[in-house]
Amino acid sequence: MTLNGKFYDSYADEASCRPISKFKLEDEPNDPEVIKNLILDELLLDVNGKQNLATFCQTDLDKNIHELMDKCIDKNMIEKDEYPQTAEIENRCVNIIADLWNSPNPTDTIGCSTTGSSEAAMLGGLALKWRWREQRKKEGKPTDKPNLITGPVQICWHKFALYFDIELREIPMEQDRYLMTPEEVLKRVDENTIGVVPTLGVTFTLQYEDVKSISDALDQYQKETGINIPIHVDAASGGFVAPFIQPNIIWDFRLPRVKSINGSGHKYGLSPLGVGWVVWREKEDLHNDLVFEVDYLGGLMKNFTLNFSRSAGPIVSQYYNFIRHGRNGFAKIHNACVGHGVFIGEQVNKLGIFDIIYDGKTALPGVAWTLKKDANVNFNLYDLSERMKIRGWQVASYLLKIVEKNIVIQRVLVRHGFSRDMAQIFIDDLIRSIDHLQKHPLVSKTNHTDCQSSIKKSI
Ligand SMILES: *Cc1c(COP(=O)(O)O)cnc(C)c1O
């Protein structure tokens, strides 16, 4: 609405006094300021990032990152010839990450940015498939039954197996064993195994799978059978945590059997949404047939992605984070998060009705717990998650599929942007929620299917 020819007020405008269109384009344009405000108002109903303890993704981004993202909004990272410095910065990130993951020759390896770990996992998986198939062809053996062995994996590996026609042999969880073990891997490997994928930071419990012991077991298997099975590590979260705060855990290219690793820059890499990484141990570990050559400063550059056009912003922000924080900065930030996670775990434990499944001390910053079997309470964990939403907290509750009997667990991730005071407020709210549910039992309990959408969101 205008007054004397000037814009007057968003909320007195015609567009805010009627429903805006939801199913088809309107014929006439609207005032952009008004529409922006209407959309921003609607988005207020989404949870605020800081209180979202269900996500692994970075939600605290400084003003410099906002500025870099803004300046890069029109740069297409795939156009290497037009944006050679973006390509250069992406390469520097690959070198830095290869070094961080102890590649034997970090300046001469191969790797690339992706939209996230899901795409990175597909690329890692495809390389495994190609390597296996070539080997099988050389031996004159059939190539129609590839399989992949994982522990309890993130959904991207289910997608990979489905889309690329691979049998997924996912090791199920058992009572008191939530991770893959060398014994369980050995039960499933055979000549058609394209690779084994341990996870560094399992989605469900935040723990690290023991890559070294799995690698050792596969060494032994090779000695006995001659079959050489490579490892790809899904280090979506742990890839940007372990190198800084758990440097003594041997999980990366220090193990010769680890041929490729993926990580999410937009999780503990502290970068904004839209960037993941995959790096191969050595150039030879990525089959040449998978690589396309693109023009780059008059020359040719290797390219291997599923996606094409994408903003340079998250890649440039990743480089900013690497240079701005350095190793010690990342360590300080992640150690602070570990401290808050451990604190929350201790406080939750004190309440006496929960069993701690992961105490936050040895893997990702965060905690996971379940209700004690004999906890004499009026509510389940889904009810508690629902109640915590009243104060804005998102706490993931979900079903762990365990061979003997499924259990429901609750999981909290601690990320950059959290503080001890926030942790205390969270605990106070948790106690208040429990008191409330005890005093006012629900007529009908929240169940797993009510919560499906929030679970999907959380992974
Ligand atoms: C988050 C996650 C993924 C998927 O990563 P995106 O970056 O969200 O695509 C894959 N694996 C694990 C273990 C994860 O935590």
PDB file of all heavy atoms in Angstrom, residues 89 109 136 176 197 294 305 315 329 352:
ATOM      1  N   ILE A  89      40.166 -22.738  -4.572  1.00  0.00           N
ATOM      2  CA  ILE A  89      39.839 -22.836  -3.143  1.00  0.00           C
ATOM      3  C   ILE A  89      39.282 -24.228  -2.818  1.00  0.00           C
ATOM      4  O   ILE A  89      39.600 -24.810  -1.783  1.00  0.00           O
ATOM      5  CB  ILE A  89      38.878 -21.691  -2.752  1.00  0.00           C
ATOM      6  CG1 ILE A  89      39.692 -20.385  -2.655  1.00  0.00           C
ATOM      7  CG2 ILE A  89      38.153 -21.980  -1.438  1.00  0.00           C
ATOM      8  CD1 ILE A  89      38.889 -19.148  -2.352  1.00  0.00           C
ATOM      9  N   THR A 109      46.479 -36.230  -4.087  1.00  0.00           N
ATOM     10  CA  THR A 109      45.406 -37.212  -4.042  1.00  0.00           C
ATOM     11  C   THR A 109      44.259 -36.708  -4.908  1.00  0.00           C
ATOM     12  O   THR A 109      44.400 -35.723  -5.630  1.00  0.00           O
ATOM     13  CB  THR A 109      44.960 -37.473  -2.596  1.00  0.00           C
ATOM     14  OG1 THR A 109      43.936 -38.455  -2.617  1.00  0.00           O
ATOM     15  CG2 THR A 109      44.423 -36.212  -1.937  1.00  0.00           C
ATOM     16  N   ARG A 136      36.986 -58.402 -10.908  1.00  0.00           N
ATOM     17  CA  ARG A 136      36.235 -59.626 -11.222  1.00  0.00           C
ATOM     18  C   ARG A 136      36.332 -59.950 -12.713  1.00  0.00           C
ATOM     19  O   ARG A 136      36.493 -61.106 -13.096  1.00  0.00           O
ATOM     20  CB  ARG A 136      34.760 -59.468 -10.826  1.00  0.00           C
ATOM     21  CG  ARG A 136      34.525 -59.280  -9.345  1.00  0.00           C
ATOM     22  CD  ARG A 136      34.616 -60.557  -8.565  1.00  0.00           C
ATOM     23  NE  ARG A 136      33.525 -61.472  -8.852  1.00  0.00           N
ATOM     24  CZ  ARG A 136      33.453 -62.715  -8.378  1.00  0.00           C
ATOM     25  NH1 ARG A 136      34.407 -63.182  -7.598  1.00  0.00           N
ATOM     26  NH2 ARG A 136      32.424 -63.491  -8.675  1.00  0.00           N
ATOM     27  N   ASP A 176      23.009 -54.524  23.763  1.00  0.00           N
ATOM     28  CA  ASP A 176      24.343 -54.122  24.208  1.00  0.00           C
ATOM     29  C   ASP A 176      25.417 -54.159  23.115  1.00  0.00           C
ATOM     30  O   ASP A 176      26.601 -54.108  23.400  1.00  0.00           O
ATOM     31  CB  ASP A 176      24.818 -54.967  25.401  1.00  0.00           C
ATOM     32  CG  ASP A 176      23.834 -54.869  26.557  1.00  0.00           C
ATOM     33  OD1 ASP A 176      23.273 -53.767  26.749  1.00  0.00           O
ATOM     34  OD2 ASP A 176      23.609 -55.891  27.228  1.00  0.00           O
ATOM     35  N   VAL A 197      31.881 -50.595   5.044  1.00  0.00           N
ATOM     36  CA  VAL A 197      31.725 -49.180   5.401  1.00  0.00           C
ATOM     37  C   VAL A 197      31.473 -49.015   6.903  1.00  0.00           C
ATOM     38  O   VAL A 197      30.334 -49.131   7.359  1.00  0.00           O
ATOM     39  CB  VAL A 197      30.562 -48.524   4.616  1.00  0.00           C
ATOM     40  CG1 VAL A 197      30.386 -47.054   5.033  1.00  0.00           C
ATOM     41  CG2 VAL A 197      30.800 -48.614   3.121  1.00  0.00           C
ATOM     42  N   VAL A 294      36.903 -31.600 -17.332  1.00  0.00           N
ATOM     43  CA  VAL A 294      36.236 -30.343 -17.671  1.00  0.00           C
ATOM     44  C   VAL A 294      37.293 -29.279 -17.945  1.00  0.00           C
ATOM     45  O   VAL A 294      38.416 -29.362 -17.441  1.00  0.00           O
ATOM     46  CB  VAL A 294      35.306 -29.871 -16.520  1.00  0.00           C
ATOM     47  CG1 VAL A 294      34.143 -30.817 -16.352  1.00  0.00           C
ATOM     48  CG2 VAL A 294      36.060 -29.710 -15.218  1.00  0.00           C
ATOM     49  N   THR A 305      31.158 -36.009  -9.975  1.00  0.00           N
ATOM     50  CA  THR A 305      30.049 -35.624  -9.092  1.00  0.00           C
ATOM     51  C   THR A 305      28.759 -36.189  -9.667  1.00  0.00           C
ATOM     52  O   THR A 305      28.705 -36.554 -10.836  1.00  0.00           O
ATOM     53  CB  THR A 305      29.855 -34.090  -9.013  1.00  0.00           C
ATOM     54  OG1 THR A 305      29.761 -33.588 -10.338  1.00  0.00           O
ATOM     55  CG2 THR A 305      30.959 -33.402  -8.266  1.00  0.00           C
ATOM     56  N   ILE A 315      31.537 -23.844  -0.084  1.00  0.00           N
ATOM     57  CA  ILE A 315      32.943 -24.258  -0.251  1.00  0.00           C
ATOM     58  C   ILE A 315      33.867 -23.150   0.237  1.00  0.00           C
ATOM     59  O   ILE A 315      34.830 -23.392   0.976  1.00  0.00           O
ATOM     60  CB  ILE A 315      33.228 -24.555  -1.747  1.00  0.00           C
ATOM     61  CG1 ILE A 315      32.370 -25.717  -2.221  1.00  0.00           C
ATOM     62  CG2 ILE A 315      34.705 -24.800  -1.987  1.00  0.00           C
ATOM     63  CD1 ILE A 315      32.376 -25.912  -3.724  1.00  0.00           C
ATOM     64  N   GLY A 329      41.789 -24.185  16.952  1.00  0.00           N
ATOM     65  CA  GLY A 329      40.470 -23.572  17.061  1.00  0.00           C
ATOM     66  C   GLY A 329      39.375 -24.642  16.993  1.00  0.00           C
ATOM     67  O   GLY A 329      38.450 -24.660  17.819  1.00  0.00           O
ATOM     68  N   GLY A 352      17.822 -40.679  37.556  1.00  0.00           N
ATOM     69  CA  GLY A 352      17.550 -42.026  38.067  1.00  0.00           C
ATOM     70  C   GLY A 352      16.582 -42.867  37.248  1.00  0.00           C
ATOM     71  O   GLY A 352      16.412 -44.040  37.526  1.00  0.00           O
TER      72      GLY A 352
END
